[in-house]
Amino acid sequence: MGDQPSEFLGSLPDGLAGPPVPLDEPQRLIALHRYDLLDTPPERAFDHITRLAARVLGMPISLVTLIDETRQWFKSRYGLDAPWTRREVAFCSYTILDTETLVVPDAAADDRFADNPLVTGDPNIRFYAGAPLVTPEGHALGTLCVIDRSPHPEFSGEQRRLLRDFADLVMTEIEARSAALALRRKVHEHQETERQRQRSLAEKETLLREVHHRVKNNLQVVDSLLALQIRHTPAIAGNLRELRFRVYSLGLVHQELTQSGDLERIKPREFLHDLARTLATHHAAPGSDLTLDVTVEPGNSAIRTDVAIPLGLLVTELVSGAYKRAFPPDRHGVIDVSLTFTGGGKARLIVSDNGSVLPGTISPSAIGQRIITELVDQLDGDLTMDETHGTRIVVTFPCLPEPSC
């Protein structure tokens, strides 16, 4: 549709004052722009209402108008080609001064409009009825209006109610459109946030894999140096072997991480079972009949990396200590390791055996005991020991209730 001739869009004749400005004009304009309707393409829902209003009320022209700072812009128009007029000549500029329907039976006989170029020239308005489009806050954005080129001395109360109903339908569509736009923006923002999070996670995962790769290589270097030192310094070979095994235990944690799809968490059940097999092999002796059992409840639990490392090393120290101190040379007995997520944000590690403390066992001041104390502190946990029947060591530490800590 083409624009209307310039006189249709022109100013009022000299000496003719335009309509007053609504008292809430600043707030009204803010509300209007918030709905993001101005200068948007036609939409079927609004065109359906203007067409229906024109037919039901028997008028050749029906418009959904929005009044901005300088224009009366038509979101929907039926029976009129012009996309907008200047605000100063718009009948609807008077309608938005109130929340009631404005009816002009004969514009040529109304002092406010008799000299208006829209009356004296194209489109030759003689009759006008407009219902304001009022927001929930009470601001009039524009109108739904019907227009005729002939006067209508009678415009019944029922016709006014119908026009008001149609205007309410327009506002319902405006509110629904605004809500849909807001929802789409939220979805877009969420999608963009998720894309950024995925990019960040991918970068973090790449970095973590590189870090774990370097840690693994460095641990292998340390292991090789310890093996070389063991061969050249037999006097301290026993201590070096223990240190070498601790390095290996730390490497096992990193191995579990690199094999996991989640570099931030590992499953303690698989991890502790793998660790137990390694410990049993390391401490095996001819003629021994020791059983090392591991249970984790619930079995599908997951723990963070910063918990897995001290937990794995703690299990290594406690189980190794049980092997060395609790059983005589024939080595018959059972060592139990259990990790339970108890709820209430707690987890409980129990390492118990049915052996008896042997002479010459590790003293509280030995390096192993100091390592145990440090690892329990890293878990922010508490350690208790019961030696009534064998040895039972319980470590309770904070844990999220998923269960995953």
Side-chain angles (χ1 to χ4, degrees), residues 261-280:
D262 186 349
L263 291 181
E264 295 184 349
R265 297 177 184 272
I266 65 173
K267 294 186 179 300
R269 183 176 184 179
E270 290 81 356
F271 169 59
L272 292 180
H273 275 284
D274 290 344
L275 183 59
R277 281 194 294 268
T278 304
L279 288 167

PDB file of all heavy atoms in Angstrom, residues 261-280:
ATOM      1  N   GLY A 261      34.104 -39.697  31.490  1.00  0.00           N
ATOM      2  CA  GLY A 261      33.559 -38.680  30.593  1.00  0.00           C
ATOM      3  C   GLY A 261      33.421 -37.331  31.253  1.00  0.00           C
ATOM      4  O   GLY A 261      33.285 -36.310  30.588  1.00  0.00           O
ATOM      5  N   ASP A 262      33.435 -37.299  32.575  1.00  0.00           N
ATOM      6  CA  ASP A 262      33.305 -36.065  33.345  1.00  0.00           C
ATOM      7  C   ASP A 262      34.598 -35.836  34.102  1.00  0.00           C
ATOM      8  O   ASP A 262      34.942 -36.588  35.010  1.00  0.00           O
ATOM      9  CB  ASP A 262      32.130 -36.194  34.326  1.00  0.00           C
ATOM     10  CG  ASP A 262      31.843 -34.899  35.071  1.00  0.00           C
ATOM     11  OD1 ASP A 262      32.671 -33.964  34.980  1.00  0.00           O
ATOM     12  OD2 ASP A 262      30.808 -34.830  35.757  1.00  0.00           O
ATOM     13  N   LEU A 263      35.318 -34.795  33.705  1.00  0.00           N
ATOM     14  CA  LEU A 263      36.616 -34.541  34.325  1.00  0.00           C
ATOM     15  C   LEU A 263      36.484 -33.930  35.713  1.00  0.00           C
ATOM     16  O   LEU A 263      37.493 -33.780  36.407  1.00  0.00           O
ATOM     17  CB  LEU A 263      37.446 -33.613  33.430  1.00  0.00           C
ATOM     18  CG  LEU A 263      37.912 -34.228  32.111  1.00  0.00           C
ATOM     19  CD1 LEU A 263      38.734 -33.223  31.329  1.00  0.00           C
ATOM     20  CD2 LEU A 263      38.708 -35.492  32.341  1.00  0.00           C
ATOM     21  N   GLU A 264      35.294 -33.550  36.108  1.00  0.00           N
ATOM     22  CA  GLU A 264      35.130 -32.953  37.427  1.00  0.00           C
ATOM     23  C   GLU A 264      34.687 -33.963  38.475  1.00  0.00           C
ATOM     24  O   GLU A 264      34.806 -33.710  39.665  1.00  0.00           O
ATOM     25  CB  GLU A 264      34.112 -31.807  37.360  1.00  0.00           C
ATOM     26  CG  GLU A 264      34.578 -30.638  36.509  1.00  0.00           C
ATOM     27  CD  GLU A 264      33.589 -29.490  36.547  1.00  0.00           C
ATOM     28  OE1 GLU A 264      32.469 -29.709  37.060  1.00  0.00           O
ATOM     29  OE2 GLU A 264      33.926 -28.407  36.077  1.00  0.00           O
ATOM     30  N   ARG A 265      34.191 -35.133  38.030  1.00  0.00           N
ATOM     31  CA  ARG A 265      33.675 -36.116  38.973  1.00  0.00           C
ATOM     32  C   ARG A 265      34.082 -37.519  38.538  1.00  0.00           C
ATOM     33  O   ARG A 265      34.258 -37.773  37.346  1.00  0.00           O
ATOM     34  CB  ARG A 265      32.142 -36.050  39.071  1.00  0.00           C
ATOM     35  CG  ARG A 265      31.612 -34.741  39.598  1.00  0.00           C
ATOM     36  CD  ARG A 265      30.085 -34.746  39.597  1.00  0.00           C
ATOM     37  NE  ARG A 265      29.561 -33.456  40.013  1.00  0.00           N
ATOM     38  CZ  ARG A 265      29.330 -33.106  41.257  1.00  0.00           C
ATOM     39  NH1 ARG A 265      29.588 -33.959  42.232  1.00  0.00           N
ATOM     40  NH2 ARG A 265      28.867 -31.916  41.561  1.00  0.00           N
ATOM     41  N   ILE A 266      34.214 -38.419  39.506  1.00  0.00           N
ATOM     42  CA  ILE A 266      34.422 -39.827  39.199  1.00  0.00           C
ATOM     43  C   ILE A 266      33.486 -40.653  40.075  1.00  0.00           C
ATOM     44  O   ILE A 266      32.977 -40.178  41.094  1.00  0.00           O
ATOM     45  CB  ILE A 266      35.881 -40.271  39.427  1.00  0.00           C
ATOM     46  CG1 ILE A 266      36.257 -40.167  40.911  1.00  0.00           C
ATOM     47  CG2 ILE A 266      36.840 -39.481  38.568  1.00  0.00           C
ATOM     48  CD1 ILE A 266      37.613 -40.749  41.219  1.00  0.00           C
ATOM     49  N   LYS A 267      33.269 -41.896  39.666  1.00  0.00           N
ATOM     50  CA  LYS A 267      32.426 -42.800  40.447  1.00  0.00           C
ATOM     51  C   LYS A 267      33.307 -43.520  41.463  1.00  0.00           C
ATOM     52  O   LYS A 267      34.201 -44.271  41.092  1.00  0.00           O
ATOM     53  CB  LYS A 267      31.732 -43.794  39.527  1.00  0.00           C
ATOM     54  CG  LYS A 267      30.736 -43.130  38.579  1.00  0.00           C
ATOM     55  CD  LYS A 267      29.965 -44.160  37.799  1.00  0.00           C
ATOM     56  CE  LYS A 267      28.959 -43.482  36.870  1.00  0.00           C
ATOM     57  NZ  LYS A 267      27.980 -42.668  37.607  1.00  0.00           N
ATOM     58  N   PRO A 268      33.069 -43.319  42.764  1.00  0.00           N
ATOM     59  CA  PRO A 268      33.946 -43.904  43.789  1.00  0.00           C
ATOM     60  C   PRO A 268      33.892 -45.427  43.830  1.00  0.00           C
ATOM     61  O   PRO A 268      34.857 -46.060  44.239  1.00  0.00           O
ATOM     62  CB  PRO A 268      33.434 -43.284  45.084  1.00  0.00           C
ATOM     63  CG  PRO A 268      32.022 -42.907  44.806  1.00  0.00           C
ATOM     64  CD  PRO A 268      31.985 -42.527  43.367  1.00  0.00           C
ATOM     65  N   ARG A 269      32.776 -46.009  43.381  1.00  0.00           N
ATOM     66  CA  ARG A 269      32.687 -47.471  43.438  1.00  0.00           C
ATOM     67  C   ARG A 269      33.761 -48.105  42.561  1.00  0.00           C
ATOM     68  O   ARG A 269      34.539 -48.958  43.030  1.00  0.00           O
ATOM     69  CB  ARG A 269      31.296 -47.926  42.989  1.00  0.00           C
ATOM     70  CG  ARG A 269      31.079 -49.428  43.086  1.00  0.00           C
ATOM     71  CD  ARG A 269      29.658 -49.793  42.719  1.00  0.00           C
ATOM     72  NE  ARG A 269      29.412 -51.217  42.905  1.00  0.00           N
ATOM     73  CZ  ARG A 269      28.245 -51.797  42.665  1.00  0.00           C
ATOM     74  NH1 ARG A 269      27.223 -51.057  42.244  1.00  0.00           N
ATOM     75  NH2 ARG A 269      28.092 -53.090  42.847  1.00  0.00           N
ATOM     76  N   GLU A 270      33.835 -47.716  41.288  1.00  0.00           N
ATOM     77  CA  GLU A 270      34.843 -48.267  40.383  1.00  0.00           C
ATOM     78  C   GLU A 270      36.246 -47.874  40.835  1.00  0.00           C
ATOM     79  O   GLU A 270      37.177 -48.680  40.808  1.00  0.00           O
ATOM     80  CB  GLU A 270      34.595 -47.787  38.952  1.00  0.00           C
ATOM     81  CG  GLU A 270      33.365 -48.373  38.278  1.00  0.00           C
ATOM     82  CD  GLU A 270      32.073 -47.673  38.670  1.00  0.00           C
ATOM     83  OE1 GLU A 270      32.125 -46.772  39.542  1.00  0.00           O
ATOM     84  OE2 GLU A 270      31.015 -48.030  38.115  1.00  0.00           O
ATOM     85  N   PHE A 271      36.360 -46.622  41.260  1.00  0.00           N
ATOM     86  CA  PHE A 271      37.666 -46.123  41.670  1.00  0.00           C
ATOM     87  C   PHE A 271      38.228 -46.914  42.858  1.00  0.00           C
ATOM     88  O   PHE A 271      39.378 -47.373  42.850  1.00  0.00           O
ATOM     89  CB  PHE A 271      37.549 -44.635  42.020  1.00  0.00           C
ATOM     90  CG  PHE A 271      38.755 -44.058  42.698  1.00  0.00           C
ATOM     91  CD1 PHE A 271      39.989 -44.083  42.083  1.00  0.00           C
ATOM     92  CD2 PHE A 271      38.644 -43.491  43.949  1.00  0.00           C
ATOM     93  CE1 PHE A 271      41.105 -43.547  42.705  1.00  0.00           C
ATOM     94  CE2 PHE A 271      39.749 -42.950  44.581  1.00  0.00           C
ATOM     95  CZ  PHE A 271      40.986 -42.982  43.962  1.00  0.00           C
ATOM     96  N   LEU A 272      37.413 -47.106  43.906  1.00  0.00           N
ATOM     97  CA  LEU A 272      37.894 -47.804  45.098  1.00  0.00           C
ATOM     98  C   LEU A 272      38.104 -49.297  44.837  1.00  0.00           C
ATOM     99  O   LEU A 272      39.020 -49.910  45.408  1.00  0.00           O
ATOM    100  CB  LEU A 272      36.918 -47.603  46.256  1.00  0.00           C
ATOM    101  CG  LEU A 272      36.836 -46.162  46.797  1.00  0.00           C
ATOM    102  CD1 LEU A 272      35.843 -46.076  47.949  1.00  0.00           C
ATOM    103  CD2 LEU A 272      38.209 -45.665  47.248  1.00  0.00           C
ATOM    104  N   HIS A 273      37.299 -49.886  43.962  1.00  0.00           N
ATOM    105  CA  HIS A 273      37.536 -51.294  43.604  1.00  0.00           C
ATOM    106  C   HIS A 273      38.868 -51.439  42.868  1.00  0.00           C
ATOM    107  O   HIS A 273      39.635 -52.378  43.145  1.00  0.00           O
ATOM    108  CB  HIS A 273      36.381 -51.822  42.746  1.00  0.00           C
ATOM    109  CG  HIS A 273      35.212 -52.324  43.531  1.00  0.00           C
ATOM    110  ND1 HIS A 273      35.206 -53.533  44.187  1.00  0.00           N
ATOM    111  CD2 HIS A 273      34.000 -51.757  43.797  1.00  0.00           C
ATOM    112  CE1 HIS A 273      34.058 -53.717  44.808  1.00  0.00           C
ATOM    113  NE2 HIS A 273      33.291 -52.647  44.587  1.00  0.00           N
ATOM    114  N   ASP A 274      39.139 -50.536  41.930  1.00  0.00           N
ATOM    115  CA  ASP A 274      40.429 -50.590  41.219  1.00  0.00           C
ATOM    116  C   ASP A 274      41.582 -50.384  42.187  1.00  0.00           C
ATOM    117  O   ASP A 274      42.623 -51.073  42.105  1.00  0.00           O
ATOM    118  CB  ASP A 274      40.472 -49.513  40.129  1.00  0.00           C
ATOM    119  CG  ASP A 274      39.529 -49.823  38.977  1.00  0.00           C
ATOM    120  OD1 ASP A 274      39.080 -50.987  38.881  1.00  0.00           O
ATOM    121  OD2 ASP A 274      39.235 -48.904  38.183  1.00  0.00           O
ATOM    122  N   LEU A 275      41.415 -49.440  43.099  1.00  0.00           N
ATOM    123  CA  LEU A 275      42.464 -49.168  44.071  1.00  0.00           C
ATOM    124  C   LEU A 275      42.688 -50.377  44.978  1.00  0.00           C
ATOM    125  O   LEU A 275      43.833 -50.736  45.298  1.00  0.00           O
ATOM    126  CB  LEU A 275      42.087 -47.941  44.902  1.00  0.00           C
ATOM    127  CG  LEU A 275      43.106 -47.454  45.930  1.00  0.00           C
ATOM    128  CD1 LEU A 275      44.426 -47.102  45.265  1.00  0.00           C
ATOM    129  CD2 LEU A 275      42.561 -46.260  46.701  1.00  0.00           C
ATOM    130  N   ALA A 276      41.596 -51.038  45.387  1.00  0.00           N
ATOM    131  CA  ALA A 276      41.707 -52.209  46.262  1.00  0.00           C
ATOM    132  C   ALA A 276      42.465 -53.340  45.568  1.00  0.00           C
ATOM    133  O   ALA A 276      43.299 -54.020  46.191  1.00  0.00           O
ATOM    134  CB  ALA A 276      40.320 -52.678  46.687  1.00  0.00           C
ATOM    135  N   ARG A 277      42.179 -53.579  44.302  1.00  0.00           N
ATOM    136  CA  ARG A 277      42.896 -54.632  43.581  1.00  0.00           C
ATOM    137  C   ARG A 277      44.390 -54.333  43.536  1.00  0.00           C
ATOM    138  O   ARG A 277      45.232 -55.222  43.703  1.00  0.00           O
ATOM    139  CB  ARG A 277      42.335 -54.758  42.155  1.00  0.00           C
ATOM    140  CG  ARG A 277      41.022 -55.527  42.083  1.00  0.00           C
ATOM    141  CD  ARG A 277      40.685 -55.908  40.647  1.00  0.00           C
ATOM    142  NE  ARG A 277      40.412 -54.722  39.833  1.00  0.00           N
ATOM    143  CZ  ARG A 277      39.204 -54.215  39.671  1.00  0.00           C
ATOM    144  NH1 ARG A 277      38.163 -54.759  40.295  1.00  0.00           N
ATOM    145  NH2 ARG A 277      39.023 -53.153  38.907  1.00  0.00           N
ATOM    146  N   THR A 278      44.721 -53.066  43.312  1.00  0.00           N
ATOM    147  CA  THR A 278      46.132 -52.685  43.270  1.00  0.00           C
ATOM    148  C   THR A 278      46.787 -52.872  44.638  1.00  0.00           C
ATOM    149  O   THR A 278      47.913 -53.374  44.747  1.00  0.00           O
ATOM    150  CB  THR A 278      46.259 -51.221  42.816  1.00  0.00           C
ATOM    151  OG1 THR A 278      45.617 -51.064  41.550  1.00  0.00           O
ATOM    152  CG2 THR A 278      47.724 -50.823  42.676  1.00  0.00           C
ATOM    153  N   LEU A 279      46.089 -52.476  45.697  1.00  0.00           N
ATOM    154  CA  LEU A 279      46.628 -52.632  47.048  1.00  0.00           C
ATOM    155  C   LEU A 279      46.819 -54.107  47.396  1.00  0.00           C
ATOM    156  O   LEU A 279      47.843 -54.492  47.991  1.00  0.00           O
ATOM    157  CB  LEU A 279      45.685 -51.971  48.061  1.00  0.00           C
ATOM    158  CG  LEU A 279      45.653 -50.439  48.060  1.00  0.00           C
ATOM    159  CD1 LEU A 279      44.451 -49.941  48.867  1.00  0.00           C
ATOM    160  CD2 LEU A 279      46.939 -49.865  48.628  1.00  0.00           C
ATOM    161  N   ALA A 280      45.825 -54.947  47.060  1.00  0.00           N
ATOM    162  CA  ALA A 280      45.937 -56.373  47.359  1.00  0.00           C
ATOM    163  C   ALA A 280      47.125 -56.990  46.639  1.00  0.00           C
ATOM    164  O   ALA A 280      47.867 -57.801  47.209  1.00  0.00           O
ATOM    165  CB  ALA A 280      44.638 -57.083  46.974  1.00  0.00           C
TER     166      ALA A 280
END
